[in-house]
Amino acid sequence: MLDLHSLEAFVAVSTHGSFSAAAERLHLTQPAVSKRLQSLEQQIGSPLFDRVGRRIHLTDAGKTLLPAAQRILQEVDNANRTLQNLSLQVAGRLSFATSHHIGLHRLPQLLRDFIDQHPEVEVDPHFLESEVAHEAVQRREVEFAFVTLIPRPPRAIEQIQLWTDPLVFVAARHHFLARKTRLQLNELCYTRAVLPHESSATYQLIRQQFAQRQLPLKTTLPVNYLETIKMMVTVGLGWSVLPASMLDERLVQLPVDIPPVQRTLGVIRLRERTLSNAASALLDSLQ
């Protein structure tokens, strides 16, 4: 019979690509992870990884075992949560991910109210970029994540819309663009912009506006955090597009002549994952 702890170690190493990262994820020592994998390899009578220098690659046996191991762990996790939920008690650890912007600007009061109502819950937030949060949800490292929603999520992911987030073009008060009373989008083409990474949903929204008009977009090195982008814009390093809620006396909203742009914020979760009572209670309170 395959040992669940060994399967968990195998999936963690496969997912994270190293023994050290898997050990950190499982809160184990690296030798303990190696021992569990050796035990599993002995059980099935075949090596699961080829080790080439510091890199590891799944063997044919490992590739065959991985989807089955993931299904087994998912079913065990769902069964455990279903049994725990029978008590109807809202308690225990609640691990979720959130983008930095949502965590700083949308969640504080909501979490404060939730903790007041459910003091037995140990809230465990992980601040991640939206793209990384998607991966954490799919790897079952967190129960759900607060992120910028995307138009076509993977089939395994359920998206729940919670907020719309209007975006505005901004520049520092001393930037030459701030003196304009009206701007066409093509006037921004060759002026430096400070924007999120190209893989982010926010960048794709902005890029779409330029692509629809067949206009180029000149950016600096990508910046992952909106608060950092705001700081760089306030000192005059370029224009940007930020949530309207981040406007203050240091920034000027640029009068760009295009329809309003907004992004959608919400929650993502695995469709087939049974949520804990704590996770269900939090999501119910948001909706």
Side-chain angles (χ1 to χ4, degrees), residues 210-229:
F210 285 80
Q212 287 174 349
R213 298 162 177 83
Q214 298 182 327
L215 297 174
L217 183 57
K218 181 180 180 181
T219 64
T220 61
L221 290 175
V223 181
N224 289 330
Y225 305 125
L226 296 182
E227 285 71 20
T228 305
I229 290 176

Side-chain angles (χ1 to χ4, degrees), residues 251-267:
L251 296 174
V252 170
Q253 179 176 344
L254 300 177
V256 181
D257 190 18
I258 63 170
V261 180
Q262 66 180 24
R263 59 183 188 167
T264 305
L265 310 179
V267 169

Side-chain angles (χ1 to χ4, degrees), residues 171-179 191-192 233 236-239 254:
R173 289 195 169 275
H174 62 274
H175 195 281
F176 77 92
L177 289 174
R179 298 191 294 270
T191 303
R192 191 183 302 273
V233 172
L237 296 184
W239 62 268
L254 300 177

Side-chain angles (χ1 to χ4, degrees), residues 64-80:
T64 301
L65 178 61
L66 181 58
Q70 291 171 326
R71 286 196 300 271
I72 291 169
L73 294 176
Q74 177 174 309
E75 290 300 323
V76 170
D77 181 61
N78 285 343
N80 285 333

Side-chain angles (χ1 to χ4, degrees), residues 140-238:
R140 306 174 71 84
E141 296 174 355
V142 294
E143 291 200 63
F144 55 83
F146 295 98
V147 297
T148 302
L149 303 185
I150 59 178
R152 292 177 293 278
R155 293 182 63 183
I157 292 289
E158 176 187 5
Q159 294 193 148
I160 304 169
Q161 179 177 339
L162 295 176
W163 308 285
T164 54
D165 200 26
L167 301 174
V168 293
F169 289 80
V170 297
R173 289 195 169 275
H174 62 274
H175 195 281
F176 77 92
L177 289 174
R179 298 191 294 270
K180 300 278 189 176
T181 57
R182 186 173 181 180
L183 276 168
Q184 298 294 326
L185 202 61
N186 60 8
E187 295 180 72
L188 302 180
C189 289
Y190 303 103
T191 303
R192 191 183 302 273
V194 185
L195 298 174
H197 194 277
E198 292 182 5
S199 63
S200 70
T202 302
Y203 177 88
Q204 292 302 322
L205 275 175
I206 301 164
R207 182 72 190 92
Q208 183 180 19
Q209 298 299 318
F210 285 80
Q212 287 174 349
R213 298 162 177 83
Q214 298 182 327
L215 297 174
L217 183 57
K218 181 180 180 181
T219 64
T220 61
L221 290 175
V223 181
N224 289 330
Y225 305 125
L226 296 182
E227 285 71 20
T228 305
I229 290 176
K230 178 179 177 179
M231 182 278 293
M232 296 176 69
V233 172
T234 59
V235 299
L237 296 184

